[in-house]
Amino acid sequence: MLPILGIIVVFVTVFGGYVAAGGKFGVILHALPFEMTMIGGAAVGAFMISNSGSAVKQTLKDLGGAFKGAKWKKNDYNDLLALLYSLTRLAQSDPLALEAAIDDPDNSPDFAKYPKIAADHRATDMICDTLRAATMNLTDPHQVEDMLEKQLDADLHHSHVGAHALQNMADGLPALGIVAAVLGIIKTMSAIDKPPSVLGGMIGGALVGTFLGVFLAYGFVGPLSVRVAAIKDEEQQFYRLIRDVMIANLHKHSPNMCVEVARQNAPHDLRPSFVDLDAALKTLRKEAA
């Protein structure tokens, strides 16, 4: 909702100020289709040249996500900590049951309670692979932490592909606007024998190209790239909580302490309250009894 509101504010303030200052839309509306075709077409073409097919798909997906917001909500963090609590309890009390759960998470009753997390292969793979490594005597917390940190850094770098592609487009749009404006000036110079009123309209139309390039770059594409990057950074915090619980478990902390360490490290606005998490854990303990 907030990005849509921001777009409305950009349009209203820019064009509202233009009209209030006595500007006329006639020149802009006449030149807009041609300038937009040149600038937008060149930007899309350059985008396709500079990115792979997978990067293009991810960027389009990320654009949709920019309006929806981050994938993980506050209740998802509560569910994640509850799931990790269940698994760390199994790790310390019933290794055979844990092994069955992590070998087939799709059919595990522990994962089935949280379908959104179970459907996310990145989260389930990170949980299961780390717990599986612990059962194979890879129990050095520092070694596992280093391994997980490298994995998280690589995943974050890959997730920023869409944001980088959008930022590159934003960087190129002002220059493409100048290209369109220069073509307009060339067209104007070829009609130099026309009356001043006609030449003025042609020059104004050429300048629309410069305006559009800068307007699109700094009013839309650039902010969208920042928005996409911020969403990816926020989503990364969800997976960092998995790391925190896994490392705390290897340090032989109790399951309650493992999830409390992670809860404290959750983003402030998404952090489950102690009361809410405690209620979820009590429910799990009753079900297991």
PDB file of all heavy atoms in Angstrom, residues 86-120:
ATOM      1  N   SER A  86      10.641 -27.284  18.812  1.00  0.00           N
ATOM      2  CA  SER A  86      10.274 -28.703  18.721  1.00  0.00           C
ATOM      3  C   SER A  86      11.451 -29.548  18.259  1.00  0.00           C
ATOM      4  O   SER A  86      11.716 -30.626  18.805  1.00  0.00           O
ATOM      5  CB  SER A  86       9.097 -28.880  17.752  1.00  0.00           C
ATOM      6  OG  SER A  86       7.948 -28.222  18.208  1.00  0.00           O
ATOM      7  N   LEU A  87      12.165 -29.057  17.259  1.00  0.00           N
ATOM      8  CA  LEU A  87      13.275 -29.840  16.697  1.00  0.00           C
ATOM      9  C   LEU A  87      14.463 -29.913  17.646  1.00  0.00           C
ATOM     10  O   LEU A  87      15.119 -30.955  17.739  1.00  0.00           O
ATOM     11  CB  LEU A  87      13.693 -29.233  15.357  1.00  0.00           C
ATOM     12  CG  LEU A  87      12.631 -29.294  14.249  1.00  0.00           C
ATOM     13  CD1 LEU A  87      13.104 -28.556  13.006  1.00  0.00           C
ATOM     14  CD2 LEU A  87      12.289 -30.742  13.903  1.00  0.00           C
ATOM     15  N   THR A  88      14.758 -28.822  18.352  1.00  0.00           N
ATOM     16  CA  THR A  88      15.879 -28.872  19.298  1.00  0.00           C
ATOM     17  C   THR A  88      15.530 -29.753  20.498  1.00  0.00           C
ATOM     18  O   THR A  88      16.414 -30.410  21.063  1.00  0.00           O
ATOM     19  CB  THR A  88      16.262 -27.460  19.774  1.00  0.00           C
ATOM     20  OG1 THR A  88      15.097 -26.763  20.243  1.00  0.00           O
ATOM     21  CG2 THR A  88      16.906 -26.667  18.647  1.00  0.00           C
ATOM     22  N   ARG A  89      14.271 -29.803  20.873  1.00  0.00           N
ATOM     23  CA  ARG A  89      13.856 -30.740  21.930  1.00  0.00           C
ATOM     24  C   ARG A  89      14.084 -32.176  21.489  1.00  0.00           C
ATOM     25  O   ARG A  89      14.588 -33.020  22.265  1.00  0.00           O
ATOM     26  CB  ARG A  89      12.376 -30.546  22.273  1.00  0.00           C
ATOM     27  CG  ARG A  89      12.076 -29.364  23.164  1.00  0.00           C
ATOM     28  CD  ARG A  89      10.650 -29.421  23.669  1.00  0.00           C
ATOM     29  NE  ARG A  89      10.491 -30.472  24.673  1.00  0.00           N
ATOM     30  CZ  ARG A  89       9.310 -30.882  25.147  1.00  0.00           C
ATOM     31  NH1 ARG A  89       8.192 -30.361  24.654  1.00  0.00           N
ATOM     32  NH2 ARG A  89       9.243 -31.820  26.057  1.00  0.00           N
ATOM     33  N   LEU A  90      13.721 -32.471  20.239  1.00  0.00           N
ATOM     34  CA  LEU A  90      13.960 -33.814  19.719  1.00  0.00           C
ATOM     35  C   LEU A  90      15.447 -34.122  19.658  1.00  0.00           C
ATOM     36  O   LEU A  90      15.882 -35.247  19.952  1.00  0.00           O
ATOM     37  CB  LEU A  90      13.347 -33.958  18.324  1.00  0.00           C
ATOM     38  CG  LEU A  90      11.824 -34.077  18.233  1.00  0.00           C
ATOM     39  CD1 LEU A  90      11.397 -34.154  16.780  1.00  0.00           C
ATOM     40  CD2 LEU A  90      11.341 -35.308  18.999  1.00  0.00           C
ATOM     41  N   ALA A  91      16.236 -33.130  19.254  1.00  0.00           N
ATOM     42  CA  ALA A  91      17.687 -33.336  19.140  1.00  0.00           C
ATOM     43  C   ALA A  91      18.301 -33.728  20.477  1.00  0.00           C
ATOM     44  O   ALA A  91      19.263 -34.506  20.529  1.00  0.00           O
ATOM     45  CB  ALA A  91      18.347 -32.062  18.606  1.00  0.00           C
ATOM     46  N   GLN A  92      17.738 -33.193  21.555  1.00  0.00           N
ATOM     47  CA  GLN A  92      18.323 -33.457  22.872  1.00  0.00           C
ATOM     48  C   GLN A  92      17.665 -34.621  23.600  1.00  0.00           C
ATOM     49  O   GLN A  92      18.275 -35.196  24.509  1.00  0.00           O
ATOM     50  CB  GLN A  92      18.226 -32.192  23.733  1.00  0.00           C
ATOM     51  CG  GLN A  92      19.026 -31.016  23.171  1.00  0.00           C
ATOM     52  CD  GLN A  92      18.963 -29.768  24.043  1.00  0.00           C
ATOM     53  OE1 GLN A  92      18.560 -29.840  25.206  1.00  0.00           O
ATOM     54  NE2 GLN A  92      19.373 -28.642  23.502  1.00  0.00           N
ATOM     55  N   SER A  93      16.429 -34.991  23.170  1.00  0.00           N
ATOM     56  CA  SER A  93      15.725 -36.041  23.912  1.00  0.00           C
ATOM     57  C   SER A  93      15.485 -37.313  23.105  1.00  0.00           C
ATOM     58  O   SER A  93      15.431 -38.406  23.675  1.00  0.00           O
ATOM     59  CB  SER A  93      14.367 -35.517  24.405  1.00  0.00           C
ATOM     60  OG  SER A  93      13.543 -35.170  23.301  1.00  0.00           O
ATOM     61  N   ASP A  94      15.328 -37.186  21.786  1.00  0.00           N
ATOM     62  CA  ASP A  94      14.999 -38.350  20.960  1.00  0.00           C
ATOM     63  C   ASP A  94      15.656 -38.218  19.585  1.00  0.00           C
ATOM     64  O   ASP A  94      14.996 -37.856  18.596  1.00  0.00           O
ATOM     65  CB  ASP A  94      13.484 -38.466  20.820  1.00  0.00           C
ATOM     66  CG  ASP A  94      13.055 -39.812  20.238  1.00  0.00           C
ATOM     67  OD1 ASP A  94      13.937 -40.562  19.766  1.00  0.00           O
ATOM     68  OD2 ASP A  94      11.839 -40.108  20.251  1.00  0.00           O
ATOM     69  N   PRO A  95      16.955 -38.502  19.478  1.00  0.00           N
ATOM     70  CA  PRO A  95      17.673 -38.336  18.201  1.00  0.00           C
ATOM     71  C   PRO A  95      17.084 -39.147  17.059  1.00  0.00           C
ATOM     72  O   PRO A  95      17.125 -38.702  15.906  1.00  0.00           O
ATOM     73  CB  PRO A  95      19.093 -38.815  18.538  1.00  0.00           C
ATOM     74  CG  PRO A  95      19.220 -38.632  20.024  1.00  0.00           C
ATOM     75  CD  PRO A  95      17.857 -38.916  20.566  1.00  0.00           C
ATOM     76  N   LEU A  96      16.511 -40.329  17.365  1.00  0.00           N
ATOM     77  CA  LEU A  96      15.933 -41.139  16.297  1.00  0.00           C
ATOM     78  C   LEU A  96      14.704 -40.459  15.696  1.00  0.00           C
ATOM     79  O   LEU A  96      14.500 -40.469  14.476  1.00  0.00           O
ATOM     80  CB  LEU A  96      15.559 -42.526  16.835  1.00  0.00           C
ATOM     81  CG  LEU A  96      16.743 -43.440  17.208  1.00  0.00           C
ATOM     82  CD1 LEU A  96      16.228 -44.759  17.773  1.00  0.00           C
ATOM     83  CD2 LEU A  96      17.622 -43.696  15.979  1.00  0.00           C
ATOM     84  N   ALA A  97      13.874 -39.862  16.535  1.00  0.00           N
ATOM     85  CA  ALA A  97      12.697 -39.132  16.037  1.00  0.00           C
ATOM     86  C   ALA A  97      13.124 -37.903  15.245  1.00  0.00           C
ATOM     87  O   ALA A  97      12.508 -37.561  14.233  1.00  0.00           O
ATOM     88  CB  ALA A  97      11.806 -38.717  17.201  1.00  0.00           C
ATOM     89  N   LEU A  98      14.197 -37.262  15.700  1.00  0.00           N
ATOM     90  CA  LEU A  98      14.718 -36.102  14.961  1.00  0.00           C
ATOM     91  C   LEU A  98      15.196 -36.521  13.582  1.00  0.00           C
ATOM     92  O   LEU A  98      14.931 -35.848  12.575  1.00  0.00           O
ATOM     93  CB  LEU A  98      15.863 -35.453  15.733  1.00  0.00           C
ATOM     94  CG  LEU A  98      16.602 -34.343  14.977  1.00  0.00           C
ATOM     95  CD1 LEU A  98      15.695 -33.132  14.790  1.00  0.00           C
ATOM     96  CD2 LEU A  98      17.880 -33.946  15.700  1.00  0.00           C
ATOM     97  N   GLU A  99      15.909 -37.646  13.527  1.00  0.00           N
ATOM     98  CA  GLU A  99      16.427 -38.123  12.248  1.00  0.00           C
ATOM     99  C   GLU A  99      15.300 -38.401  11.262  1.00  0.00           C
ATOM    100  O   GLU A  99      15.396 -38.064  10.076  1.00  0.00           O
ATOM    101  CB  GLU A  99      17.256 -39.379  12.473  1.00  0.00           C
ATOM    102  CG  GLU A  99      17.967 -39.874  11.228  1.00  0.00           C
ATOM    103  CD  GLU A  99      18.896 -41.038  11.504  1.00  0.00           C
ATOM    104  OE1 GLU A  99      19.177 -41.299  12.683  1.00  0.00           O
ATOM    105  OE2 GLU A  99      19.335 -41.679  10.523  1.00  0.00           O
ATOM    106  N   ALA A 100      14.206 -38.957  11.743  1.00  0.00           N
ATOM    107  CA  ALA A 100      13.059 -39.221  10.874  1.00  0.00           C
ATOM    108  C   ALA A 100      12.442 -37.915  10.383  1.00  0.00           C
ATOM    109  O   ALA A 100      12.017 -37.809   9.226  1.00  0.00           O
ATOM    110  CB  ALA A 100      12.019 -40.047  11.628  1.00  0.00           C
ATOM    111  N   ALA A 101      12.408 -36.906  11.240  1.00  0.00           N
ATOM    112  CA  ALA A 101      11.793 -35.619  10.871  1.00  0.00           C
ATOM    113  C   ALA A 101      12.611 -34.897   9.816  1.00  0.00           C
ATOM    114  O   ALA A 101      12.056 -34.340   8.858  1.00  0.00           O
ATOM    115  CB  ALA A 101      11.636 -34.745  12.115  1.00  0.00           C
ATOM    116  N   ILE A 102      13.945 -34.878   9.975  1.00  0.00           N
ATOM    117  CA  ILE A 102      14.781 -34.104   9.043  1.00  0.00           C
ATOM    118  C   ILE A 102      15.068 -34.869   7.755  1.00  0.00           C
ATOM    119  O   ILE A 102      15.418 -34.255   6.743  1.00  0.00           O
ATOM    120  CB  ILE A 102      16.096 -33.663   9.711  1.00  0.00           C
ATOM    121  CG1 ILE A 102      16.933 -34.872  10.135  1.00  0.00           C
ATOM    122  CG2 ILE A 102      15.816 -32.755  10.889  1.00  0.00           C
ATOM    123  CD1 ILE A 102      18.268 -34.512  10.775  1.00  0.00           C
ATOM    124  N   ASP A 103      14.911 -36.188   7.782  1.00  0.00           N
ATOM    125  CA  ASP A 103      15.111 -36.958   6.550  1.00  0.00           C
ATOM    126  C   ASP A 103      13.921 -36.824   5.600  1.00  0.00           C
ATOM    127  O   ASP A 103      14.075 -36.955   4.383  1.00  0.00           O
ATOM    128  CB  ASP A 103      15.340 -38.433   6.884  1.00  0.00           C
ATOM    129  CG  ASP A 103      16.750 -38.696   7.379  1.00  0.00           C
ATOM    130  OD1 ASP A 103      17.611 -37.807   7.184  1.00  0.00           O
ATOM    131  OD2 ASP A 103      16.995 -39.771   7.967  1.00  0.00           O
ATOM    132  N   ASP A 104      12.741 -36.576   6.153  1.00  0.00           N
ATOM    133  CA  ASP A 104      11.536 -36.453   5.320  1.00  0.00           C
ATOM    134  C   ASP A 104      10.654 -35.330   5.877  1.00  0.00           C
ATOM    135  O   ASP A 104       9.574 -35.591   6.427  1.00  0.00           O
ATOM    136  CB  ASP A 104      10.780 -37.778   5.294  1.00  0.00           C
ATOM    137  CG  ASP A 104       9.649 -37.774   4.265  1.00  0.00           C
ATOM    138  OD1 ASP A 104       9.617 -36.840   3.418  1.00  0.00           O
ATOM    139  OD2 ASP A 104       8.807 -38.686   4.307  1.00  0.00           O
ATOM    140  N   PRO A 105      11.105 -34.079   5.738  1.00  0.00           N
ATOM    141  CA  PRO A 105      10.326 -32.973   6.328  1.00  0.00           C
ATOM    142  C   PRO A 105       8.941 -32.806   5.714  1.00  0.00           C
ATOM    143  O   PRO A 105       8.037 -32.306   6.383  1.00  0.00           O
ATOM    144  CB  PRO A 105      11.214 -31.730   6.050  1.00  0.00           C
ATOM    145  CG  PRO A 105      12.096 -32.129   4.914  1.00  0.00           C
ATOM    146  CD  PRO A 105      12.333 -33.597   5.085  1.00  0.00           C
ATOM    147  N   ASP A 106       8.758 -33.238   4.459  1.00  0.00           N
ATOM    148  CA  ASP A 106       7.447 -33.101   3.817  1.00  0.00           C
ATOM    149  C   ASP A 106       6.377 -33.924   4.534  1.00  0.00           C
ATOM    150  O   ASP A 106       5.189 -33.586   4.480  1.00  0.00           O
ATOM    151  CB  ASP A 106       7.518 -33.534   2.358  1.00  0.00           C
ATOM    152  CG  ASP A 106       8.354 -32.576   1.519  1.00  0.00           C
ATOM    153  OD1 ASP A 106       8.493 -31.405   1.919  1.00  0.00           O
ATOM    154  OD2 ASP A 106       8.876 -33.003   0.467  1.00  0.00           O
ATOM    155  N   ASN A 107       6.790 -35.003   5.173  1.00  0.00           N
ATOM    156  CA  ASN A 107       5.839 -35.864   5.876  1.00  0.00           C
ATOM    157  C   ASN A 107       6.027 -35.829   7.387  1.00  0.00           C
ATOM    158  O   ASN A 107       5.490 -36.676   8.101  1.00  0.00           O
ATOM    159  CB  ASN A 107       5.980 -37.309   5.380  1.00  0.00           C
ATOM    160  CG  ASN A 107       5.611 -37.448   3.911  1.00  0.00           C
ATOM    161  OD1 ASN A 107       4.573 -36.950   3.474  1.00  0.00           O
ATOM    162  ND2 ASN A 107       6.459 -38.108   3.139  1.00  0.00           N
ATOM    163  N   SER A 108       6.775 -34.856   7.849  1.00  0.00           N
ATOM    164  CA  SER A 108       7.020 -34.752   9.284  1.00  0.00           C
ATOM    165  C   SER A 108       5.877 -33.999   9.964  1.00  0.00           C
ATOM    166  O   SER A 108       5.493 -32.913   9.520  1.00  0.00           O
ATOM    167  CB  SER A 108       8.336 -34.011   9.533  1.00  0.00           C
ATOM    168  OG  SER A 108       8.451 -33.627  10.890  1.00  0.00           O
ATOM    169  N   PRO A 109       5.324 -34.542  11.051  1.00  0.00           N
ATOM    170  CA  PRO A 109       4.255 -33.814  11.766  1.00  0.00           C
ATOM    171  C   PRO A 109       4.739 -32.495  12.365  1.00  0.00           C
ATOM    172  O   PRO A 109       3.945 -31.567  12.533  1.00  0.00           O
ATOM    173  CB  PRO A 109       3.819 -34.802  12.854  1.00  0.00           C
ATOM    174  CG  PRO A 109       4.956 -35.760  13.006  1.00  0.00           C
ATOM    175  CD  PRO A 109       5.599 -35.853  11.666  1.00  0.00           C
ATOM    176  N   ASP A 110       6.024 -32.421  12.682  1.00  0.00           N
ATOM    177  CA  ASP A 110       6.565 -31.176  13.243  1.00  0.00           C
ATOM    178  C   ASP A 110       6.522 -30.052  12.206  1.00  0.00           C
ATOM    179  O   ASP A 110       6.131 -28.923  12.519  1.00  0.00           O
ATOM    180  CB  ASP A 110       8.006 -31.390  13.719  1.00  0.00           C
ATOM    181  CG  ASP A 110       8.089 -32.383  14.861  1.00  0.00           C
ATOM    182  OD1 ASP A 110       7.650 -32.019  15.975  1.00  0.00           O
ATOM    183  OD2 ASP A 110       8.571 -33.506  14.655  1.00  0.00           O
ATOM    184  N   PHE A 111       6.922 -30.347  10.984  1.00  0.00           N
ATOM    185  CA  PHE A 111       6.892 -29.349   9.913  1.00  0.00           C
ATOM    186  C   PHE A 111       5.466 -29.092   9.426  1.00  0.00           C
ATOM    187  O   PHE A 111       5.143 -27.978   9.004  1.00  0.00           O
ATOM    188  CB  PHE A 111       7.761 -29.804   8.742  1.00  0.00           C
ATOM    189  CG  PHE A 111       9.235 -29.622   8.967  1.00  0.00           C
ATOM    190  CD1 PHE A 111      10.003 -30.655   9.483  1.00  0.00           C
ATOM    191  CD2 PHE A 111       9.859 -28.430   8.667  1.00  0.00           C
ATOM    192  CE1 PHE A 111      11.366 -30.506   9.691  1.00  0.00           C
ATOM    193  CE2 PHE A 111      11.222 -28.262   8.861  1.00  0.00           C
ATOM    194  CZ  PHE A 111      11.983 -29.303   9.382  1.00  0.00           C
ATOM    195  N   ALA A 112       4.616 -30.130   9.480  1.00  0.00           N
ATOM    196  CA  ALA A 112       3.258 -30.001   8.957  1.00  0.00           C
ATOM    197  C   ALA A 112       2.443 -28.952   9.714  1.00  0.00           C
ATOM    198  O   ALA A 112       1.475 -28.402   9.169  1.00  0.00           O
ATOM    199  CB  ALA A 112       2.542 -31.348   9.016  1.00  0.00           C
ATOM    200  N   LYS A 113       2.803 -28.663  10.953  1.00  0.00           N
ATOM    201  CA  LYS A 113       2.087 -27.655  11.737  1.00  0.00           C
ATOM    202  C   LYS A 113       2.300 -26.248  11.175  1.00  0.00           C
ATOM    203  O   LYS A 113       1.520 -25.345  11.476  1.00  0.00           O
ATOM    204  CB  LYS A 113       2.548 -27.697  13.191  1.00  0.00           C
ATOM    205  CG  LYS A 113       2.239 -28.992  13.912  1.00  0.00           C
ATOM    206  CD  LYS A 113       2.855 -28.979  15.301  1.00  0.00           C
ATOM    207  CE  LYS A 113       2.653 -30.313  16.013  1.00  0.00           C
ATOM    208  NZ  LYS A 113       3.324 -30.349  17.339  1.00  0.00           N
ATOM    209  N   TYR A 114       3.355 -26.092  10.383  1.00  0.00           N
ATOM    210  CA  TYR A 114       3.710 -24.763   9.877  1.00  0.00           C
ATOM    211  C   TYR A 114       3.907 -24.847   8.355  1.00  0.00           C
ATOM    212  O   TYR A 114       5.034 -24.876   7.865  1.00  0.00           O
ATOM    213  CB  TYR A 114       4.984 -24.260  10.564  1.00  0.00           C
ATOM    214  CG  TYR A 114       4.942 -24.462  12.070  1.00  0.00           C
ATOM    215  CD1 TYR A 114       5.644 -25.521  12.665  1.00  0.00           C
ATOM    216  CD2 TYR A 114       4.173 -23.629  12.872  1.00  0.00           C
ATOM    217  CE1 TYR A 114       5.589 -25.718  14.036  1.00  0.00           C
ATOM    218  CE2 TYR A 114       4.110 -23.823  14.251  1.00  0.00           C
ATOM    219  CZ  TYR A 114       4.819 -24.870  14.826  1.00  0.00           C
ATOM    220  OH  TYR A 114       4.744 -25.079  16.188  1.00  0.00           O
ATOM    221  N   PRO A 115       2.809 -24.937   7.617  1.00  0.00           N
ATOM    222  CA  PRO A 115       2.890 -25.194   6.167  1.00  0.00           C
ATOM    223  C   PRO A 115       3.643 -24.122   5.385  1.00  0.00           C
ATOM    224  O   PRO A 115       4.292 -24.431   4.392  1.00  0.00           O
ATOM    225  CB  PRO A 115       1.419 -25.271   5.739  1.00  0.00           C
ATOM    226  CG  PRO A 115       0.648 -24.597   6.830  1.00  0.00           C
ATOM    227  CD  PRO A 115       1.418 -24.858   8.085  1.00  0.00           C
ATOM    228  N   LYS A 116       3.560 -22.866   5.798  1.00  0.00           N
ATOM    229  CA  LYS A 116       4.260 -21.811   5.066  1.00  0.00           C
ATOM    230  C   LYS A 116       5.768 -22.001   5.156  1.00  0.00           C
ATOM    231  O   LYS A 116       6.491 -21.832   4.169  1.00  0.00           O
ATOM    232  CB  LYS A 116       3.867 -20.434   5.610  1.00  0.00           C
ATOM    233  CG  LYS A 116       4.457 -19.272   4.819  1.00  0.00           C
ATOM    234  CD  LYS A 116       3.940 -17.933   5.327  1.00  0.00           C
ATOM    235  CE  LYS A 116       4.563 -16.773   4.548  1.00  0.00           C
ATOM    236  NZ  LYS A 116       4.061 -15.450   5.045  1.00  0.00           N
ATOM    237  N   ILE A 117       6.246 -22.374   6.331  1.00  0.00           N
ATOM    238  CA  ILE A 117       7.682 -22.621   6.501  1.00  0.00           C
ATOM    239  C   ILE A 117       8.076 -23.911   5.800  1.00  0.00           C
ATOM    240  O   ILE A 117       9.113 -23.982   5.136  1.00  0.00           O
ATOM    241  CB  ILE A 117       8.034 -22.687   7.997  1.00  0.00           C
ATOM    242  CG1 ILE A 117       7.718 -21.352   8.681  1.00  0.00           C
ATOM    243  CG2 ILE A 117       9.510 -23.042   8.181  1.00  0.00           C
ATOM    244  CD1 ILE A 117       7.898 -21.364  10.182  1.00  0.00           C
ATOM    245  N   ALA A 118       7.241 -24.928   5.917  1.00  0.00           N
ATOM    246  CA  ALA A 118       7.543 -26.217   5.276  1.00  0.00           C
ATOM    247  C   ALA A 118       7.623 -26.081   3.764  1.00  0.00           C
ATOM    248  O   ALA A 118       8.368 -26.816   3.108  1.00  0.00           O
ATOM    249  CB  ALA A 118       6.482 -27.245   5.657  1.00  0.00           C
ATOM    250  N   ALA A 119       6.863 -25.144   3.198  1.00  0.00           N
ATOM    251  CA  ALA A 119       6.869 -24.955   1.747  1.00  0.00           C
ATOM    252  C   ALA A 119       8.072 -24.163   1.262  1.00  0.00           C
ATOM    253  O   ALA A 119       8.336 -24.113   0.060  1.00  0.00           O
ATOM    254  CB  ALA A 119       5.583 -24.249   1.311  1.00  0.00           C
ATOM    255  N   ASP A 120       8.811 -23.559   2.179  1.00  0.00           N
ATOM    256  CA  ASP A 120       9.984 -22.774   1.808  1.00  0.00           C
ATOM    257  C   ASP A 120      11.212 -23.680   1.862  1.00  0.00           C
ATOM    258  O   ASP A 120      11.708 -24.020   2.941  1.00  0.00           O
ATOM    259  CB  ASP A 120      10.152 -21.585   2.758  1.00  0.00           C
ATOM    260  CG  ASP A 120      11.272 -20.653   2.338  1.00  0.00           C
ATOM    261  OD1 ASP A 120      11.039 -19.790   1.478  1.00  0.00           O
ATOM    262  OD2 ASP A 120      12.401 -20.808   2.853  1.00  0.00           O
TER     263      ASP A 120
END
